[in-house]
Amino acid sequence: MNIVCTTLNAKYIHMNLAIRYLKAYAQPEFDVKLVEYTIKDPVLNIVTDLYQRRPDVVGFSCYIWNIEETIKVVKLLKKAAPDVIIVAGGPEVSYDVREWMEQVPEFDFIVIGEGEETFKQLLFALEGRKEVADVAGLAFRDGDRIVMNPQRNKLRLADMPSPFRFPEDIPHLPNRIIYVETSRGCPFSCQFCLSSIEVGVRYFDREKIKDDLRYLMKHGARTIKFVDRTFNISRSYAMDMFRFLIDEHVPGTVFQFEITADIMRPEVIEFLNKEAPPGLFRFEIGVQSTNDEVNRLIMRKQNFAKLARTVTMIKEGGKIAQHLDLIAGLPEEDYNSFRKTFNDVFALRPEELQLGFLKLLRGTGLRLRAEEYGYVYMDHAPYEVLANNVLSFDDVIRIKQVEDVLEKYWNAHRMDETIEYLVTDVFPSPFDFFQQFGAYWDERGWARIGHQLEDLFRRLHEFLRTCASDALPVAESLMKYDYLRGQKHKPRKPWWEEKTEKTTRTTVYRALLERPEALGEDFAALGLGEKELFKHTVVEIVPVDVGRYIAAKQLSFAPTAIVAYFDPSGTGATVFSAPLSTLFTSSASA
């Protein structure tokens, strides 16, 4: 029997964990072949590739991000190969199973819930070694009748085989995101999340996980993401794994975890701040809302004060990047409440702030109670909220405008100093800046066209010139600083029109040749001669002492030279600055 397990990943860099567990669990009785595509691949290309493999059975792993494209593939594959047996599984089809079987007659079977044992037993049945009717956790067709067998008991995870020991995966490990599961289930009951349905937390064998991690690092894995819903629910377990990863990591490897921040003890953070190498760990923290009543309605226990303490301590440690999540559209969180939530969380200045929108997932408590809160949402995956009883579609559109520019201007870290100035000193709040800029961005039609880096600077400049012209001198100065700092090579044509006169630049260069220490010891240590100075630096005169602002967040209006030095090796720019009065006074006194 020729068995293929497949899925359509959101991106090429992803590596699906579920189908690898199916393959590992089916061995040695069955040899399951794995093949992965993306949701961007043409459907006919996928079907052609599957068809040419001549499978008897094809299993599809289904999620909200791929179900629509998966159904297209399944329908076309059944037309091309009517005898192929189609098995669907995964979180998207594990709920409303009868509805899926009715809507997609091409599904011969649906594996419900945890699939490893069910899928293997189905393969035995297809070989004639047992009856399909005896396979727990399986939906199937008996003539025109749809049969749904009861779900099976949960697996003992400590006995699970490794999903990583396939030779064909080894060449791809350095270039993919590798997903690792050390537990299943979640102790919390958040009503928007599928994990709330499974009671309790079960753990895989800890030593087996460590062996798998050693194997992955040995074969070049660089990005390893733990998919546990709450990695730190057991403090002793988390500490043991953190200690192991710190002691045995391969340089260049990054580990990402989903953590619950308000239960993380200060001594754990102190340990990480002291022991973890910079950049080794990355934390994803779901905040969702800071409104206590909203959290009560979705059965989410959260102490925001403790969460903020954790995030702040981690940030002050400077070792671990943090990604914080918000969800717009939760019950009774109107536009003004969400604005407060956004500002509460942005005040923590996370490296990334993801603004997502509620998805009414099949099987979740909120979907079952959608009518109670007046939810209007997409009929098809991803079932995203369009409105509810306190949030209109107009409000959703406005918040989406925030999301668009937040991603481009904060999460991408292209102009940190500029944004810090704007959200702190110019606009009433961070949310107001992103909202006003996002609305302007939308009105100008920029959401429908592409952009290069320079375009992002020009568009922010245009917005400020139109909507906050008083702030333009400072903002423009900081934008030039941010732009130069972010370049790897000396820019041929920066985003701004050339304003500094050649004679002024020549005067600055002359002063720097005479007294390079006027720009600081680090600049003087470069030992640049006249030729190197002209060849490898950019000089721009701005009306604000940017060095003082960046160091102390104090505004001082004084004509200032920004000098960006670009290392010939291409490692990037080092930016120096000093008021002209300092440069020229030093030069004159020399």
Side-chain angles (χ1 to χ4, degrees):
M1 189 162 54
N2 186 6
I3 308 156
V4 172
C5 279
T6 187
T7 194
L8 280 63
N9 293 320
K11 295 180 180 179
Y12 171 78
I13 60 172
H14 297 166
M15 183 175 273
N16 185 271
L17 181 60
I19 61 175
R20 285 171 171 79
Y21 269 118
L22 294 177
K23 176 180 174 70
Y25 201 87
Q27 293 176 342
E29 293 87 347
F30 301 99
D31 178 23
V32 176
K33 298 175 180 63
L34 303 182
V35 57
E36 294 173 271
Y37 308 98
T38 77
I39 55 176
K40 298 295 185 182
D41 292 335
V43 170
L44 184 57
N45 290 8
I46 297 174
V47 171
T48 300
D49 186 63
L50 287 172
Y51 177 85
Q52 290 176 338
R53 294 172 185 270
R54 299 294 188 265
D56 299 300
V57 179
V58 181
F60 289 87
S61 190
C62 303
Y63 307 85
I64 57 170
W65 64 79
N66 73 8
I67 186 63
E68 299 301 323
E69 293 302 304
T70 297
I71 290 172
K72 294 176 186 176
V73 170
V74 166
K75 287 181 175 293
L76 192 55
L77 180 60
K78 268 289 193 181
K79 284 188 176 184
D83 294 332
V84 70
I85 296 170
I86 302 294
V87 185
E92 177 55 17
V93 295
S94 286
Y95 305 92
D96 301 336
V97 177
R98 184 175 299 277
E99 181 181 331
W100 281 118
M101 293 291 279
E102 291 171 348
Q103 287 184 2
V104 189
E106 292 82 3
F107 286 164
D108 295 300
F109 301 94
I110 290 180
V111 172
I112 305 168
E114 198 166 46
E116 290 89 353
E117 177 68 19
T118 300
F119 184 66
K120 186 170 186 175
Q121 293 301 313
L122 171 61
L123 295 179
F124 279 130
L126 294 175
E127 273 199 340
R129 290 196 258 174
K130 70 178 300 176
E131 294 296 323
V132 167
D134 295 332
V135 179
L138 188 70
F140 61 96
R141 302 180 191 280
D142 181 9
D144 293 333
R145 191 167 65 98
I146 295 171
V147 181
M148 295 171 55
N149 288 344
Q151 282 189 246
R152 68 176 59 252
N153 294 330
K154 299 297 184 184
L155 294 169
R156 187 173 185 273
L157 298 183
D159 298 333
M160 289 285 281
S162 169
F164 302 112
R165 306 304 177 104
F166 307 127
E168 61 268 30
D169 279 342
I170 290 175
H172 305 292
L173 295 178
N175 304 313
R176 303 288 183 89
I177 297 174
I178 312 302
Y179 295 94
V180 173
E181 190 177 32
T182 74
S183 65
R184 289 181 182 175
C186 181
F188 303 112
S189 303
C190 306
Q191 294 296 287
F192 56 82
C193 181
L194 283 175
S195 297
S196 65
I197 299 170
E198 182 175 345
V199 178
V201 179
R202 296 170 294 142
Y203 286 90
F204 288 78
D205 183 90
R206 192 181 307 188
E207 296 309 313
K208 287 183 181 179
I209 293 293
K210 291 178 180 178
D211 284 342
D212 280 341
L213 292 168
R214 293 185 185 103
Y215 173 90
L216 291 169
M217 290 188 287
K218 176 183 176 182
H219 289 96
R222 289 291 174 264
T223 303
I224 296 176
K225 182 173 181 179
F226 291 82
V227 296
D228 306 63
R229 301 310 300 170
T230 304
F231 186 82
N232 63 316
I233 189 63
S234 166
R235 182 162 60 100
S236 61
Y237 177 80
M239 285 290 286
D240 180 60
M241 291 300 293
F242 288 146
R243 179 78 268 173
F244 164 75
L245 295 171
I246 289 169
D247 291 343
E248 298 198 29
H249 75 278
V250 173
T253 308
V254 177
F255 299 94
Q256 182 168 325
F257 311 87
E258 291 187 33
I259 68 161
T260 299
D262 58 346
I263 66 171
M264 184 168 268
R265 300 281 291 273
E267 56 264 33
V268 176
I269 306 169
E270 290 168 0
F271 163 77
L272 293 171
N273 285 344
K274 179 182 177 182
E275 300 287 340
L280 179 65
F281 296 145
R282 175 181 168 87
F283 287 168
E284 184 173 336
I285 299 169
V287 182
Q288 321 315 3
S289 175
T290 62
N291 185 315
D292 290 338
E293 175 61 15
V294 171
N295 284 325
R296 185 188 69 80
L297 291 172
I298 59 174
M299 299 175 65
R300 180 177 178 81
K301 296 179 180 179
Q302 179 169 271
N303 185 320
F304 183 67
K306 289 184 177 179
L307 183 151
R309 178 192 66 187
T310 294
V311 172
T312 300
M313 287 182 67
I314 293 171
K315 188 174 182 65
E316 289 173 348
K319 299 283 192 71
I320 299 169
Q322 298 179 94
H323 171 115
L324 272 57
D325 291 329
L326 302 179
I327 297 179
L330 293 171
E332 304 303 328
E333 177 127 83
D334 61 14
Y335 179 84
N336 289 327
S337 172
F338 185 76
R339 175 182 181 271
K340 181 181 183 303
T341 282
F342 183 98
N343 286 329
D344 288 343
V345 178
F346 195 89
L348 302 175
R349 298 300 191 269
E351 284 75 15
E352 289 184 10
L353 177 57
Q354 180 174 319
L355 197 172
F357 291 80
L358 178 66
K359 295 169 178 59
L360 281 294
L361 302 178
R362 294 174 183 270
T364 59
L366 271 187
R367 182 162 175 139
L368 296 175
R369 298 163 59 199
E371 190 174 333
E372 178 181 342
Y373 299 109
Y375 275 111
V376 180
Y377 58 94
M378 298 176 180
D379 292 332
H380 300 284
Y383 316 112
E384 190 169 287
V385 64
L386 302 176
N388 63 24
N389 59 349
V390 298
L391 199 72
S392 69
F393 189 48
D394 282 325
D395 293 331
V396 170
I397 291 171
R398 293 165 70 193
I399 296 172
K400 281 190 175 292
Q401 293 169 343
V402 173
E403 177 196 25
D404 193 14
V405 292
L406 176 72
E407 193 65 32
K408 293 180 175 67
Y409 285 86
W410 178 257
N411 291 342
H413 293 287
R414 294 179 171 108
M415 44 189 95
D416 287 352
E417 298 298 342
T418 305
I419 302 304
E420 183 63 40
Y421 164 66
L422 294 173
V423 303
T424 303
D425 295 334
V426 179
F427 289 84
S429 77
F431 185 88
D432 293 292
F433 162 69
F434 289 110
Q435 179 67 91
Q436 290 183 44
F437 186 26
Y440 187 86
W441 184 281
D442 203 18
E443 291 165 4
R444 299 289 292 174
W446 292 335
R448 296 185 292 275
I449 60 177
H451 54 265
Q452 295 180 333
L453 176 65
E454 287 74 15
D455 296 324
L456 294 174
F457 281 86
R458 293 188 191 103
R459 288 168 186 171
L460 177 59
H461 190 271
E462 179 183 323
F463 164 69
L464 295 174
R465 189 177 67 242
T466 304
C467 302
S469 57
D470 290 348
L472 201 55
V474 178
E476 186 180 272
S477 301
L478 294 171
M479 287 170 71
K480 291 178 178 180
Y481 172 87
D482 281 330
Y483 176 81
L484 291 171
R485 183 178 58 169
Q487 300 297 303
K488 287 194 175 299
H489 304 281
K490 185 176 178 179
R492 295 181 179 179
K493 185 172 176 56
W495 61 267
W496 62 88
E497 296 296 327
E498 190 64 53
K499 293 181 179 179
T500 302
E501 295 181 356
K502 186 176 181 180
T503 54
T504 304
R505 289 202 307 274
T506 301
T507 304
V508 170
Y509 280 138
R510 187 181 303 119
L512 293 176
L513 287 169
E514 293 179 6
R515 288 289 304 276
E517 61 272 19
L519 271 185
E521 294 180 2
D522 290 342
F523 181 81
L526 294 173
L528 300 179
E530 184 175 1
K531 182 179 179 180
E532 290 80 14
L533 197 60
F534 278 87
K535 185 176 181 180
H536 299 303
T537 66
V538 170
V539 171
E540 185 67 22
I541 308 301
V542 296
V544 174
D545 185 346
V546 294
R548 184 173 182 180
Y549 178 80
I550 291 160
K553 294 297 179 283
Q554 295 177 354
L555 278 177
S556 174
F557 287 88
T560 295
I562 296 176
V563 181
Y565 168 69
F566 295 88
D567 192 290
S569 66
T571 55
T574 306
V575 182
F576 307 89
S577 70
L580 293 184
S581 58
T582 301
L583 291 180
F584 296 150
T585 300
S586 299
S587 177
S589 62

